[in-house]
């Protein structure tokens, strides 16, 4: 097993992640079966692994775009300022579409608040959120999560796309980052 001491506990196993993504895909397939002009907006870097697995199980027509959002400059504390890096032709692609934002985790909620506002400002016909994890904490920004994978306890988590200083995204499960590895 890789990275033996980086995590103390595995919170969500590989098998559980598989079930979460296939169950969520089924829900999405039912809800979006007759919806035209769908566009999935994958939020990088964290949602990449989750989105790949999820999108593979969707059976309705949709475009896929990606966008980079960041609020952590390394470390385990959000800076509080969310930066979106949009491709210049992205707003035009969002306009009039039914947008499904795919992200890894609802923590403070600032990223999702900024993203949903941004998509609406671009003229999206509809904006829904599809999120793998919701941290069980009081969120600074209240967001409607339309499709949620699973709640997760208040810990700094790594794996399945989630990183600490851009490492450990490759772990195939979600684990709690061990205190020994937090250097701040
Ligand atoms: P929020 O804006 O505080 O809700 O945080 C959103 C972003 O911060 C997520 O999309 C993640 O990329 C990152 N993040 C939040 N919590 C964690 C964590 O526990 N581990 C790794 N990344 C996290
Ligand atoms: Mg993120």
């Amino acid at each position: 097993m890789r990275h033996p001491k980086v995590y103390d506990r595995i919170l969500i196993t590989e098998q559980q992640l598989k079930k979460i993504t296939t169950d969520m895909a089924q829900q999405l397939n039912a809800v979006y079966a007759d919806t035209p002009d769908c566009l999935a907006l994958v939020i990088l870097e964290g949602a990449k692994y989750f989105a790949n697995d999820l999108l593979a199980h969707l059976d309705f027509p949709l475009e896929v775009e990606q966008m980079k959002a960041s609020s952590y400059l390394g470390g385990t504390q959000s800076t509080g300022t969310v930066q979106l890096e949009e491709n210049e032709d992205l707003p035009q692609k969002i306009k009039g579409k039914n947008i499904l934002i795919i992200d890894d985790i609802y923590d403070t909620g600032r990223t999702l608040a900024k993203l949903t506002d941004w998509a609406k400002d671009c003229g999206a016909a509809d904006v829904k959120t599809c999120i793998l994890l919701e941290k069980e904490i009081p969120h600074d920004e209240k967001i409607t999560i339309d499709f949620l994978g699973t709640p997760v306890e208040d810990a700094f988590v790594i794996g399945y796309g989630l990183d600490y200083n851009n490492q450990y995204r490759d772990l195939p499960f979600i684990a709690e980052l061990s205190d020994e590895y937090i250097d701040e």
Side-chain angles (χ1 to χ4, degrees):
M1 196 173 284
R2 289 167 290 174
H3 313 307
K5 283 198 299 193
V6 169
Y7 56 88
D8 295 323
R9 289 182 306 139
I10 293 177
L11 302 179
I12 308 166
T13 64
E14 199 173 349
Q15 223 176 5
Q16 287 169 321
L17 286 167
K18 280 213 173 82
K19 177 155 173 40
I20 287 168
T21 45
T22 50
D23 285 356
M24 195 185 272
Q26 263 181 23
Q27 280 182 51
L28 291 166
N29 287 336
V31 171
Y32 284 95
D34 300 315
T35 310
D37 303 323
C38 294
L39 186 146
L41 185 62
V42 180
I43 309 307
L44 303 179
E45 300 289 331
K48 204 153 58 178
Y49 293 63
F50 165 52
N52 272 350
D53 288 347
L54 182 71
L55 293 169
H57 292 97
L58 298 184
D59 59 16
F60 55 92
L62 88 168
E63 291 174 54
V64 181
E65 292 288 341
Q66 48 194 37
M67 181 170 184
K68 197 168 168 143
S70 47
S71 54
Y72 284 58
L73 301 170
T76 60
Q77 297 296 323
S78 167
T79 59
T81 320
V82 181
Q83 286 183 343
L84 303 183
E85 284 177 35
E86 60 178 86
N87 226 321
E88 52 182 65
D89 55 349
L90 197 52
Q92 202 49 42
K93 290 181 179 162
I94 299 285
K95 196 173 172 188
K97 303 269 172 63
N98 293 301
I99 306 299
L100 185 63
I101 293 176
I102 303 182
D103 204 359
D104 51 2
I105 190 165
Y106 173 21
D107 186 9
T108 66
R110 289 197 200 101
T111 305
L112 288 169
K114 186 146 182 176
L115 281 165
T116 46
D117 286 351
W118 175 84
K120 284 175 192 159
D121 289 347
C122 292
D126 180 56
V127 182
K128 288 195 173 30
T129 52
C130 172
I131 312 296
L132 176 63
L133 305 171
E134 175 174 359
K135 244 184 224 184
E136 291 177 310
I137 53 164
H139 308 289
D140 296 343
E141 299 271 358
K142 275 249 167 281
I143 306 291
T144 304
I145 305 297
D146 300 285
F147 306 94
L148 175 68
T150 180
V152 69
E153 65 188 76
D154 183 14
F156 194 83
V157 293
I158 51 171
Y160 200 55
L162 290 132
D163 74 305
Y164 174 61
N165 289 341
N166 212 20
Q167 290 192 72
Y168 319 122
R169 294 190 197 277
D170 56 308
L171 292 170
F173 42 73
I174 304 274
E176 177 179 8
L177 179 68
S178 152
D179 284 345
E180 291 168 56
Y181 273 76
I182 301 178
D183 43 39
E184 58 190 20

